[in-house]
PDB file of all heavy atoms in Angstrom:
ATOM      1  N   ARG J  46      -8.443   9.252  63.219  1.00  0.00           N
ATOM      2  CA  ARG J  46      -9.813   8.805  62.971  1.00  0.00           C
ATOM      3  C   ARG J  46     -10.842   9.899  63.206  1.00  0.00           C
ATOM      4  O   ARG J  46     -11.815  10.019  62.447  1.00  0.00           O
ATOM      5  CB  ARG J  46     -10.114   7.589  63.853  1.00  0.00           C
ATOM      6  CG  ARG J  46     -11.513   7.029  63.659  1.00  0.00           C
ATOM      7  CD  ARG J  46     -11.691   5.717  64.378  1.00  0.00           C
ATOM      8  NE  ARG J  46     -13.043   5.204  64.201  1.00  0.00           N
ATOM      9  CZ  ARG J  46     -13.349   3.929  64.162  1.00  0.00           C
ATOM     10  NH1 ARG J  46     -12.403   3.020  64.282  1.00  0.00           N
ATOM     11  NH2 ARG J  46     -14.599   3.535  63.988  1.00  0.00           N
ATOM     12  N   ASP J  47     -10.654  10.728  64.219  1.00  0.00           N
ATOM     13  CA  ASP J  47     -11.657  11.744  64.514  1.00  0.00           C
ATOM     14  C   ASP J  47     -11.545  12.969  63.603  1.00  0.00           C
ATOM     15  O   ASP J  47     -12.303  13.932  63.757  1.00  0.00           O
ATOM     16  CB  ASP J  47     -11.590  12.173  65.981  1.00  0.00           C
ATOM     17  CG  ASP J  47     -10.245  12.768  66.366  1.00  0.00           C
ATOM     18  OD1 ASP J  47      -9.336  12.798  65.514  1.00  0.00           O
ATOM     19  OD2 ASP J  47     -10.107  13.205  67.523  1.00  0.00           O
ATOM     20  N   MET J  48     -10.613  12.922  62.620  1.00  0.00           N
ATOM     21  CA  MET J  48     -10.444  14.041  61.702  1.00  0.00           C
ATOM     22  C   MET J  48     -10.832  13.686  60.258  1.00  0.00           C
ATOM     23  O   MET J  48     -10.716  14.501  59.357  1.00  0.00           O
ATOM     24  CB  MET J  48      -8.995  14.539  61.728  1.00  0.00           C
ATOM     25  CG  MET J  48      -8.557  15.092  63.069  1.00  0.00           C
ATOM     26  SD  MET J  48      -9.561  16.519  63.580  1.00  0.00           S
ATOM     27  CE  MET J  48      -9.085  17.716  62.333  1.00  0.00           C
ATOM     28  N   ILE J  49     -11.261  12.461  60.044  1.00  0.00           N
ATOM     29  CA  ILE J  49     -11.675  12.042  58.701  1.00  0.00           C
ATOM     30  C   ILE J  49     -12.882  11.122  58.815  1.00  0.00           C
ATOM     31  O   ILE J  49     -12.906  10.209  59.645  1.00  0.00           O
ATOM     32  CB  ILE J  49     -10.510  11.357  57.938  1.00  0.00           C
ATOM     33  CG1 ILE J  49     -10.924  10.996  56.514  1.00  0.00           C
ATOM     34  CG2 ILE J  49      -9.984  10.155  58.691  1.00  0.00           C
ATOM     35  CD1 ILE J  49      -9.772  10.521  55.639  1.00  0.00           C
ATOM     36  N   GLU J  50     -13.867  11.402  57.981  1.00  0.00           N
ATOM     37  CA  GLU J  50     -15.098  10.616  57.985  1.00  0.00           C
ATOM     38  C   GLU J  50     -15.366  10.013  56.615  1.00  0.00           C
ATOM     39  O   GLU J  50     -15.719   8.846  56.498  1.00  0.00           O
ATOM     40  CB  GLU J  50     -16.261  11.513  58.387  1.00  0.00           C
ATOM     41  CG  GLU J  50     -17.628  10.851  58.388  1.00  0.00           C
ATOM     42  CD  GLU J  50     -18.727  11.838  58.746  1.00  0.00           C
ATOM     43  OE1 GLU J  50     -18.716  12.966  58.198  1.00  0.00           O
ATOM     44  OE2 GLU J  50     -19.579  11.482  59.562  1.00  0.00           O
ATOM     45  N   TRP J  51     -15.176  10.816  55.576  1.00  0.00           N
ATOM     46  CA  TRP J  51     -15.480  10.408  54.210  1.00  0.00           C
ATOM     47  C   TRP J  51     -14.274  10.650  53.301  1.00  0.00           C
ATOM     48  O   TRP J  51     -13.351  11.377  53.651  1.00  0.00           O
ATOM     49  CB  TRP J  51     -16.691  11.174  53.676  1.00  0.00           C
ATOM     50  CG  TRP J  51     -16.527  12.676  53.703  1.00  0.00           C
ATOM     51  CD1 TRP J  51     -16.948  13.540  54.672  1.00  0.00           C
ATOM     52  CD2 TRP J  51     -15.869  13.494  52.723  1.00  0.00           C
ATOM     53  NE1 TRP J  51     -16.603  14.841  54.364  1.00  0.00           N
ATOM     54  CE2 TRP J  51     -15.947  14.841  53.167  1.00  0.00           C
ATOM     55  CE3 TRP J  51     -15.226  13.230  51.516  1.00  0.00           C
ATOM     56  CZ2 TRP J  51     -15.395  15.904  52.451  1.00  0.00           C
ATOM     57  CZ3 TRP J  51     -14.677  14.281  50.786  1.00  0.00           C
ATOM     58  CH2 TRP J  51     -14.776  15.609  51.259  1.00  0.00           C
ATOM     59  N   ALA J  52     -14.318  10.023  52.127  1.00  0.00           N
ATOM     60  CA  ALA J  52     -13.243  10.231  51.147  1.00  0.00           C
ATOM     61  C   ALA J  52     -13.753   9.902  49.753  1.00  0.00           C
ATOM     62  O   ALA J  52     -14.674   9.090  49.583  1.00  0.00           O
ATOM     63  CB  ALA J  52     -12.027   9.372  51.474  1.00  0.00           C
ATOM     64  N   VAL J  53     -13.160  10.554  48.772  1.00  0.00           N
ATOM     65  CA  VAL J  53     -13.432  10.259  47.363  1.00  0.00           C
ATOM     66  C   VAL J  53     -12.098  10.159  46.637  1.00  0.00           C
ATOM     67  O   VAL J  53     -11.275  11.076  46.714  1.00  0.00           O
ATOM     68  CB  VAL J  53     -14.291  11.351  46.697  1.00  0.00           C
ATOM     69  CG1 VAL J  53     -14.567  10.987  45.234  1.00  0.00           C
ATOM     70  CG2 VAL J  53     -15.607  11.560  47.446  1.00  0.00           C
ATOM     71  N   LEU J  54     -11.874   9.044  45.959  1.00  0.00           N
ATOM     72  CA  LEU J  54     -10.697   8.851  45.130  1.00  0.00           C
ATOM     73  C   LEU J  54     -11.149   8.877  43.673  1.00  0.00           C
ATOM     74  O   LEU J  54     -12.200   8.315  43.339  1.00  0.00           O
ATOM     75  CB  LEU J  54     -10.017   7.519  45.424  1.00  0.00           C
ATOM     76  CG  LEU J  54      -9.416   7.296  46.821  1.00  0.00           C
ATOM     77  CD1 LEU J  54     -10.482   6.937  47.836  1.00  0.00           C
ATOM     78  CD2 LEU J  54      -8.364   6.184  46.778  1.00  0.00           C
ATOM     79  N   ALA J  55     -10.370   9.511  42.802  1.00  0.00           N
ATOM     80  CA  ALA J  55     -10.783   9.615  41.402  1.00  0.00           C
ATOM     81  C   ALA J  55      -9.573   9.716  40.495  1.00  0.00           C
ATOM     82  O   ALA J  55      -8.524  10.227  40.886  1.00  0.00           O
ATOM     83  CB  ALA J  55     -11.685  10.834  41.204  1.00  0.00           C
ATOM     84  N   THR J  56      -9.719   9.228  39.276  1.00  0.00           N
ATOM     85  CA  THR J  56      -8.714   9.491  38.265  1.00  0.00           C
ATOM     86  C   THR J  56      -8.948  10.894  37.713  1.00  0.00           C
ATOM     87  O   THR J  56     -10.029  11.457  37.858  1.00  0.00           O
ATOM     88  CB  THR J  56      -8.780   8.451  37.136  1.00  0.00           C
ATOM     89  OG1 THR J  56     -10.100   8.439  36.562  1.00  0.00           O
ATOM     90  CG2 THR J  56      -8.451   7.061  37.667  1.00  0.00           C
ATOM     91  N   ASP J  57      -7.931  11.449  37.050  1.00  0.00           N
ATOM     92  CA  ASP J  57      -8.050  12.840  36.622  1.00  0.00           C
ATOM     93  C   ASP J  57      -9.137  13.039  35.583  1.00  0.00           C
ATOM     94  O   ASP J  57      -9.738  14.114  35.501  1.00  0.00           O
ATOM     95  CB  ASP J  57      -6.707  13.372  36.112  1.00  0.00           C
ATOM     96  CG  ASP J  57      -6.227  12.677  34.840  1.00  0.00           C
ATOM     97  OD1 ASP J  57      -6.561  11.498  34.639  1.00  0.00           O
ATOM     98  OD2 ASP J  57      -5.507  13.323  34.057  1.00  0.00           O
ATOM     99  N   GLY J  58      -9.444  12.009  34.804  1.00  0.00           N
ATOM    100  CA  GLY J  58     -10.514  12.126  33.825  1.00  0.00           C
ATOM    101  C   GLY J  58     -11.861  12.402  34.447  1.00  0.00           C
ATOM    102  O   GLY J  58     -12.722  13.051  33.832  1.00  0.00           O
ATOM    103  N   ALA J  59     -12.062  11.932  35.666  1.00  0.00           N
ATOM    104  CA  ALA J  59     -13.286  12.240  36.405  1.00  0.00           C
ATOM    105  C   ALA J  59     -13.106  13.487  37.256  1.00  0.00           C
ATOM    106  O   ALA J  59     -13.956  14.389  37.247  1.00  0.00           O
ATOM    107  CB  ALA J  59     -13.675  11.055  37.288  1.00  0.00           C
ATOM    108  N   ALA J  60     -11.997  13.567  37.991  1.00  0.00           N
ATOM    109  CA  ALA J  60     -11.805  14.652  38.962  1.00  0.00           C
ATOM    110  C   ALA J  60     -11.793  16.022  38.300  1.00  0.00           C
ATOM    111  O   ALA J  60     -12.407  16.975  38.803  1.00  0.00           O
ATOM    112  CB  ALA J  60     -10.514  14.427  39.740  1.00  0.00           C
ATOM    113  N   ASP J  61     -11.114  16.156  37.163  1.00  0.00           N
ATOM    114  CA  ASP J  61     -11.013  17.463  36.519  1.00  0.00           C
ATOM    115  C   ASP J  61     -12.379  17.965  36.062  1.00  0.00           C
ATOM    116  O   ASP J  61     -12.701  19.151  36.203  1.00  0.00           O
ATOM    117  CB  ASP J  61     -10.063  17.387  35.317  1.00  0.00           C
ATOM    118  CG  ASP J  61      -8.615  17.190  35.720  1.00  0.00           C
ATOM    119  OD1 ASP J  61      -8.309  17.279  36.927  1.00  0.00           O
ATOM    120  OD2 ASP J  61      -7.776  16.934  34.827  1.00  0.00           O
ATOM    121  N   LEU J  62     -13.180  17.076  35.508  1.00  0.00           N
ATOM    122  CA  LEU J  62     -14.509  17.477  35.045  1.00  0.00           C
ATOM    123  C   LEU J  62     -15.441  17.795  36.208  1.00  0.00           C
ATOM    124  O   LEU J  62     -16.234  18.739  36.145  1.00  0.00           O
ATOM    125  CB  LEU J  62     -15.116  16.358  34.191  1.00  0.00           C
ATOM    126  CG  LEU J  62     -14.856  16.391  32.691  1.00  0.00           C
ATOM    127  CD1 LEU J  62     -15.576  17.559  32.045  1.00  0.00           C
ATOM    128  CD2 LEU J  62     -13.395  16.402  32.358  1.00  0.00           C
ATOM    129  N   ILE J  63     -15.345  17.008  37.281  1.00  0.00           N
ATOM    130  CA  ILE J  63     -16.188  17.242  38.451  1.00  0.00           C
ATOM    131  C   ILE J  63     -15.842  18.575  39.094  1.00  0.00           C
ATOM    132  O   ILE J  63     -16.728  19.351  39.474  1.00  0.00           O
ATOM    133  CB  ILE J  63     -16.031  16.069  39.444  1.00  0.00           C
ATOM    134  CG1 ILE J  63     -16.685  14.804  38.858  1.00  0.00           C
ATOM    135  CG2 ILE J  63     -16.644  16.408  40.800  1.00  0.00           C
ATOM    136  CD1 ILE J  63     -16.371  13.545  39.623  1.00  0.00           C
ATOM    137  N   GLU J  64     -14.556  18.871  39.196  1.00  0.00           N
ATOM    138  CA  GLU J  64     -14.120  20.168  39.724  1.00  0.00           C
ATOM    139  C   GLU J  64     -14.633  21.306  38.830  1.00  0.00           C
ATOM    140  O   GLU J  64     -15.121  22.330  39.313  1.00  0.00           O
ATOM    141  CB  GLU J  64     -12.591  20.219  39.803  1.00  0.00           C
ATOM    142  CG  GLU J  64     -11.983  19.323  40.870  1.00  0.00           C
ATOM    143  CD  GLU J  64     -11.927  20.003  42.232  1.00  0.00           C
ATOM    144  OE1 GLU J  64     -12.530  21.075  42.392  1.00  0.00           O
ATOM    145  OE2 GLU J  64     -11.276  19.426  43.126  1.00  0.00           O
ATOM    146  N   HIS J  65     -14.502  21.139  37.532  1.00  0.00           N
ATOM    147  CA  HIS J  65     -14.922  22.179  36.590  1.00  0.00           C
ATOM    148  C   HIS J  65     -16.421  22.452  36.710  1.00  0.00           C
ATOM    149  O   HIS J  65     -16.857  23.603  36.571  1.00  0.00           O
ATOM    150  CB  HIS J  65     -14.582  21.750  35.164  1.00  0.00           C
ATOM    151  CG  HIS J  65     -14.906  22.783  34.131  1.00  0.00           C
ATOM    152  ND1 HIS J  65     -14.113  23.893  33.916  1.00  0.00           N
ATOM    153  CD2 HIS J  65     -15.944  22.879  33.245  1.00  0.00           C
ATOM    154  CE1 HIS J  65     -14.632  24.631  32.952  1.00  0.00           C
ATOM    155  NE2 HIS J  65     -15.739  24.038  32.520  1.00  0.00           N
ATOM    156  N   ALA J  66     -17.194  21.408  36.985  1.00  0.00           N
ATOM    157  CA  ALA J  66     -18.641  21.555  37.099  1.00  0.00           C
ATOM    158  C   ALA J  66     -19.072  22.124  38.448  1.00  0.00           C
ATOM    159  O   ALA J  66     -20.242  22.471  38.632  1.00  0.00           O
ATOM    160  CB  ALA J  66     -19.323  20.210  36.863  1.00  0.00           C
ATOM    161  N   GLY J  67     -18.144  22.222  39.393  1.00  0.00           N
ATOM    162  CA  GLY J  67     -18.445  22.836  40.681  1.00  0.00           C
ATOM    163  C   GLY J  67     -19.112  21.935  41.700  1.00  0.00           C
ATOM    164  O   GLY J  67     -19.685  22.416  42.679  1.00  0.00           O
ATOM    165  N   HIS J  68     -19.046  20.623  41.493  1.00  0.00           N
ATOM    166  CA  HIS J  68     -19.627  19.700  42.469  1.00  0.00           C
ATOM    167  C   HIS J  68     -18.805  19.694  43.752  1.00  0.00           C
ATOM    168  O   HIS J  68     -17.599  19.927  43.740  1.00  0.00           O
ATOM    169  CB  HIS J  68     -19.697  18.283  41.893  1.00  0.00           C
ATOM    170  CG  HIS J  68     -20.619  18.145  40.725  1.00  0.00           C
ATOM    171  ND1 HIS J  68     -21.983  18.091  40.856  1.00  0.00           N
ATOM    172  CD2 HIS J  68     -20.364  18.066  39.395  1.00  0.00           C
ATOM    173  CE1 HIS J  68     -22.537  17.962  39.668  1.00  0.00           C
ATOM    174  NE2 HIS J  68     -21.579  17.949  38.754  1.00  0.00           N
ATOM    175  N   ARG J  69     -19.446  19.401  44.864  1.00  0.00           N
ATOM    176  CA  ARG J  69     -18.783  19.366  46.156  1.00  0.00           C
ATOM    177  C   ARG J  69     -18.461  17.924  46.531  1.00  0.00           C
ATOM    178  O   ARG J  69     -19.326  17.036  46.488  1.00  0.00           O
ATOM    179  CB  ARG J  69     -19.668  19.999  47.238  1.00  0.00           C
ATOM    180  CG  ARG J  69     -20.011  21.456  46.977  1.00  0.00           C
ATOM    181  CD  ARG J  69     -18.761  22.343  46.945  1.00  0.00           C
ATOM    182  NE  ARG J  69     -18.016  22.279  48.192  1.00  0.00           N
ATOM    183  CZ  ARG J  69     -18.296  23.029  49.252  1.00  0.00           C
ATOM    184  NH1 ARG J  69     -19.295  23.902  49.218  1.00  0.00           N
ATOM    185  NH2 ARG J  69     -17.578  22.905  50.350  1.00  0.00           N
ATOM    186  N   TRP J  70     -17.222  17.712  46.930  1.00  0.00           N
ATOM    187  CA  TRP J  70     -16.760  16.353  47.190  1.00  0.00           C
ATOM    188  C   TRP J  70     -17.458  15.721  48.383  1.00  0.00           C
ATOM    189  O   TRP J  70     -17.710  14.502  48.392  1.00  0.00           O
ATOM    190  CB  TRP J  70     -15.249  16.342  47.374  1.00  0.00           C
ATOM    191  CG  TRP J  70     -14.518  16.687  46.117  1.00  0.00           C
ATOM    192  CD1 TRP J  70     -13.851  17.845  45.831  1.00  0.00           C
ATOM    193  CD2 TRP J  70     -14.403  15.881  44.942  1.00  0.00           C
ATOM    194  NE1 TRP J  70     -13.334  17.811  44.557  1.00  0.00           N
ATOM    195  CE2 TRP J  70     -13.650  16.613  43.991  1.00  0.00           C
ATOM    196  CE3 TRP J  70     -14.865  14.598  44.606  1.00  0.00           C
ATOM    197  CZ2 TRP J  70     -13.359  16.112  42.727  1.00  0.00           C
ATOM    198  CZ3 TRP J  70     -14.563  14.094  43.347  1.00  0.00           C
ATOM    199  CH2 TRP J  70     -13.818  14.850  42.429  1.00  0.00           C
ATOM    200  N   HIS J  71     -17.789  16.501  49.407  1.00  0.00           N
ATOM    201  CA  HIS J  71     -18.438  15.893  50.578  1.00  0.00           C
ATOM    202  C   HIS J  71     -19.823  15.372  50.227  1.00  0.00           C
ATOM    203  O   HIS J  71     -20.310  14.425  50.857  1.00  0.00           O
ATOM    204  CB  HIS J  71     -18.509  16.900  51.740  1.00  0.00           C
ATOM    205  CG  HIS J  71     -19.507  17.997  51.558  1.00  0.00           C
ATOM    206  ND1 HIS J  71     -19.221  19.155  50.890  1.00  0.00           N
ATOM    207  CD2 HIS J  71     -20.796  18.102  51.975  1.00  0.00           C
ATOM    208  CE1 HIS J  71     -20.280  19.950  50.893  1.00  0.00           C
ATOM    209  NE2 HIS J  71     -21.249  19.328  51.537  1.00  0.00           N
ATOM    210  N   ARG J  72     -20.441  15.952  49.214  1.00  0.00           N
ATOM    211  CA  ARG J  72     -21.733  15.444  48.763  1.00  0.00           C
ATOM    212  C   ARG J  72     -21.562  14.192  47.907  1.00  0.00           C
ATOM    213  O   ARG J  72     -22.315  13.222  48.040  1.00  0.00           O
ATOM    214  CB  ARG J  72     -22.478  16.524  47.982  1.00  0.00           C
ATOM    215  CG  ARG J  72     -22.912  17.704  48.853  1.00  0.00           C
ATOM    216  CD  ARG J  72     -23.538  18.799  48.026  1.00  0.00           C
ATOM    217  NE  ARG J  72     -23.941  19.924  48.865  1.00  0.00           N
ATOM    218  CZ  ARG J  72     -24.257  21.125  48.407  1.00  0.00           C
ATOM    219  NH1 ARG J  72     -24.214  21.359  47.099  1.00  0.00           N
ATOM    220  NH2 ARG J  72     -24.599  22.096  49.236  1.00  0.00           N
ATOM    221  N   ILE J  73     -20.556  14.224  47.028  1.00  0.00           N
ATOM    222  CA  ILE J  73     -20.304  13.061  46.179  1.00  0.00           C
ATOM    223  C   ILE J  73     -19.945  11.839  47.023  1.00  0.00           C
ATOM    224  O   ILE J  73     -20.280  10.707  46.666  1.00  0.00           O
ATOM    225  CB  ILE J  73     -19.179  13.386  45.178  1.00  0.00           C
ATOM    226  CG1 ILE J  73     -19.661  14.459  44.194  1.00  0.00           C
ATOM    227  CG2 ILE J  73     -18.719  12.142  44.422  1.00  0.00           C
ATOM    228  CD1 ILE J  73     -18.584  14.983  43.280  1.00  0.00           C
ATOM    229  N   ALA J  74     -19.299  12.061  48.156  1.00  0.00           N
ATOM    230  CA  ALA J  74     -18.937  10.935  49.035  1.00  0.00           C
ATOM    231  C   ALA J  74     -20.158  10.146  49.488  1.00  0.00           C
ATOM    232  O   ALA J  74     -20.042   8.965  49.830  1.00  0.00           O
ATOM    233  CB  ALA J  74     -18.174  11.451  50.250  1.00  0.00           C
ATOM    234  N   GLN J  75     -21.331  10.772  49.468  1.00  0.00           N
ATOM    235  CA  GLN J  75     -22.550  10.108  49.925  1.00  0.00           C
ATOM    236  C   GLN J  75     -23.268   9.350  48.795  1.00  0.00           C
ATOM    237  O   GLN J  75     -24.260   8.667  49.049  1.00  0.00           O
ATOM    238  CB  GLN J  75     -23.529  11.139  50.519  1.00  0.00           C
ATOM    239  CG  GLN J  75     -22.909  12.099  51.520  1.00  0.00           C
ATOM    240  CD  GLN J  75     -22.249  11.403  52.686  1.00  0.00           C
ATOM    241  OE1 GLN J  75     -22.818  10.479  53.274  1.00  0.00           O
ATOM    242  NE2 GLN J  75     -21.039  11.839  53.043  1.00  0.00           N
ATOM    243  N   TYR J  76     -22.781   9.471  47.568  1.00  0.00           N
ATOM    244  CA  TYR J  76     -23.464   8.859  46.432  1.00  0.00           C
ATOM    245  C   TYR J  76     -23.334   7.340  46.444  1.00  0.00           C
ATOM    246  O   TYR J  76     -22.314   6.792  46.873  1.00  0.00           O
ATOM    247  CB  TYR J  76     -22.868   9.368  45.116  1.00  0.00           C
ATOM    248  CG  TYR J  76     -23.244  10.780  44.731  1.00  0.00           C
ATOM    249  CD1 TYR J  76     -23.953  11.620  45.582  1.00  0.00           C
ATOM    250  CD2 TYR J  76     -22.868  11.285  43.483  1.00  0.00           C
ATOM    251  CE1 TYR J  76     -24.275  12.914  45.215  1.00  0.00           C
ATOM    252  CE2 TYR J  76     -23.185  12.577  43.097  1.00  0.00           C
ATOM    253  CZ  TYR J  76     -23.886  13.393  43.969  1.00  0.00           C
ATOM    254  OH  TYR J  76     -24.195  14.665  43.585  1.00  0.00           O
ATOM    255  N   ASP J  77     -24.374   6.677  45.935  1.00  0.00           N
ATOM    256  CA  ASP J  77     -24.293   5.231  45.734  1.00  0.00           C
ATOM    257  C   ASP J  77     -23.814   4.956  44.302  1.00  0.00           C
ATOM    258  O   ASP J  77     -23.508   5.882  43.533  1.00  0.00           O
ATOM    259  CB  ASP J  77     -25.630   4.550  46.024  1.00  0.00           C
ATOM    260  CG  ASP J  77     -26.765   5.048  45.125  1.00  0.00           C
ATOM    261  OD1 ASP J  77     -26.492   5.615  44.038  1.00  0.00           O
ATOM    262  OD2 ASP J  77     -27.938   4.865  45.504  1.00  0.00           O
ATOM    263  N   ASP J  78     -23.735   3.686  43.936  1.00  0.00           N
ATOM    264  CA  ASP J  78     -23.210   3.321  42.616  1.00  0.00           C
ATOM    265  C   ASP J  78     -23.978   4.002  41.495  1.00  0.00           C
ATOM    266  O   ASP J  78     -23.382   4.530  40.544  1.00  0.00           O
ATOM    267  CB  ASP J  78     -23.270   1.797  42.422  1.00  0.00           C
ATOM    268  CG  ASP J  78     -22.283   1.047  43.297  1.00  0.00           C
ATOM    269  OD1 ASP J  78     -21.446   1.692  43.958  1.00  0.00           O
ATOM    270  OD2 ASP J  78     -22.344  -0.200  43.309  1.00  0.00           O
ATOM    271  N   ALA J  79     -25.315   3.979  41.591  1.00  0.00           N
ATOM    272  CA  ALA J  79     -26.144   4.550  40.528  1.00  0.00           C
ATOM    273  C   ALA J  79     -25.928   6.052  40.409  1.00  0.00           C
ATOM    274  O   ALA J  79     -25.863   6.601  39.298  1.00  0.00           O
ATOM    275  CB  ALA J  79     -27.622   4.239  40.788  1.00  0.00           C
ATOM    276  N   GLN J  80     -25.813   6.733  41.528  1.00  0.00           N
ATOM    277  CA  GLN J  80     -25.598   8.183  41.488  1.00  0.00           C
ATOM    278  C   GLN J  80     -24.221   8.536  40.946  1.00  0.00           C
ATOM    279  O   GLN J  80     -24.072   9.507  40.203  1.00  0.00           O
ATOM    280  CB  GLN J  80     -25.787   8.762  42.894  1.00  0.00           C
ATOM    281  CG  GLN J  80     -27.229   8.734  43.386  1.00  0.00           C
ATOM    282  CD  GLN J  80     -27.343   9.107  44.850  1.00  0.00           C
ATOM    283  OE1 GLN J  80     -26.623   8.557  45.700  1.00  0.00           O
ATOM    284  NE2 GLN J  80     -28.240  10.016  45.161  1.00  0.00           N
ATOM    285  N   LEU J  81     -23.213   7.745  41.298  1.00  0.00           N
ATOM    286  CA  LEU J  81     -21.877   7.978  40.756  1.00  0.00           C
ATOM    287  C   LEU J  81     -21.856   7.738  39.247  1.00  0.00           C
ATOM    288  O   LEU J  81     -21.244   8.498  38.491  1.00  0.00           O
ATOM    289  CB  LEU J  81     -20.852   7.077  41.444  1.00  0.00           C
ATOM    290  CG  LEU J  81     -20.556   7.370  42.915  1.00  0.00           C
ATOM    291  CD1 LEU J  81     -19.633   6.294  43.484  1.00  0.00           C
ATOM    292  CD2 LEU J  81     -19.937   8.753  43.104  1.00  0.00           C
TER     293      LEU J  81
END
C-alpha cells in the first residue's frame, strides 16, 4: 500500500497513442471523466 497511490489502466488503442504523444501517466491518473 505505501508503494502505490495511483494507477491508469488502458487498452492499447489508447495507451499507444498516449505514449506517442508524450503524456505522463501520473498526471493522467488525476483526470476526471471529462478530461479523459
Side-chain angles (χ1 to χ4, degrees):
R46 181 171 179 149
D47 60 357
M48 297 299 293
I49 183 171
E50 178 182 45
W51 57 265
V53 181
L54 296 79
T56 57
D57 65 331
D61 290 351
L62 270 291
I63 290 169
E64 290 274 10
H65 183 77
H68 295 283
R69 300 298 301 275
W70 293 108
H71 73 274
R72 292 175 180 165
I73 293 173
Q75 312 303 314
Y76 286 7
D77 60 21
D78 290 353
Q80 290 171 310
L81 292 174

